[in-house]
Amino acid sequence: MKFFRYASDMGDLRQALNEAAEIKRDRFKFRSLGENKTVLLIFFNNSLRTRLSTQKAALNLGMNVIVLDVNQGAWKLETERGVVMDGDKSEHLLEAVPVMAQYCDLIGVRTFARFESREADYTEQILNQFIRYSGRPVFSMESATVHPLQAFADLITIEEHKRSVRPKVVLTWAPHPKALPQAVPNSFAEWMRAADVDFVVTHPEGYELDPQFVGDARVEYDQMKAFENADFIYAKNWSCPGVTRSDDYGKIINTDRSWTVDADHMAVTRNAFFMHCLPVRRNMIVTDDVIEAPTSLVIPEAANREISATVVLKRMLEAL
Ligand code: CP
């Protein structure tokens, strides 16, 4: 695997899940694979889970790890070509990326949507500059529009906990005080469509996800109706994707707290498991009692980030 952004980069998901199970049984099984190999993890944004789980995955495989927080200690980077660099940005990504590539074999990039331009975000401008100018295999650690390491970990978690062959999985929008990217719901929708599940998305009008990710998935605007007989509830906030109203891209267009996942919502499900990628704002996205219930999978999900990252790094090492 040379690049990891989309479910299709993973190939057959059944095979990927088998590989994940194999690694979970013995996460050090492939530790000789990464000997004398270095992964560079570049963070343009904050992270707890991705930072720790990806480092742990690299260590499982015997790799060396370098972590760079671009906004703390590196030169401030310009990302637009053609800009007269007379401001506070001292280095251009077009030099910085090939330089960084000199010191590593694989590169992981965390860079959020900027909400300045839908086009810039949805063409993955920054991630693609790493792909184009590094000459190295590159994986997204959540980029402008996708979070594939999270979606793969979510799929592993569903596989481990499902009580029927084809469970009903509901992705629900929930309110949040700050505008958040669409990366997690985009990837979750994309991966659920590729998996063998009955997938339903529910959100207020105006929050329609980009068709390249949501495809022909069932969209239900009545949240309670969507929750009926669900086996898994996956809650997440996202800002307006700008699909139906492009001027609203990246904005908060609904603050309705009735969308917060609470015990009344969960009561109409089939004793569903609750999922969220974390970090989560309690009593905005989900109430304390739901996230603390025995059916909450937020910690196993986070634990599976180590497994998804180990599978991805292993495949990238095998392809070097
Ligand atoms: N879920 C997730 O990616 O968490 P972090 O932002 O803390 O890495």
Side-chain angles (χ1 to χ4, degrees), residues 224-254:
M224 277 301 200
K225 199 168 165 199
F227 273 44
E228 282 171 11
N229 297 318
D231 297 295
F232 293 87
I233 298 297
Y234 194 99
K236 185 71 184 86
N237 172 267
W238 61 91
S239 61
C240 176
V243 170
T244 52
R245 289 178 288 204
S246 58
D247 287 351
D248 286 341
Y249 173 64
K251 292 183 181 157
I252 295 173
I253 57 171
N254 192 310

Side-chain angles (χ1 to χ4, degrees), residues 47-50 110 147 150 277-278 305:
S47 163
L48 188 152
R49 278 143 291 273
T50 306
R110 157 65 67 106
H147 197 355
Q150 181 66 52
C277 62
L278 304 180
R305 291 292 306 276

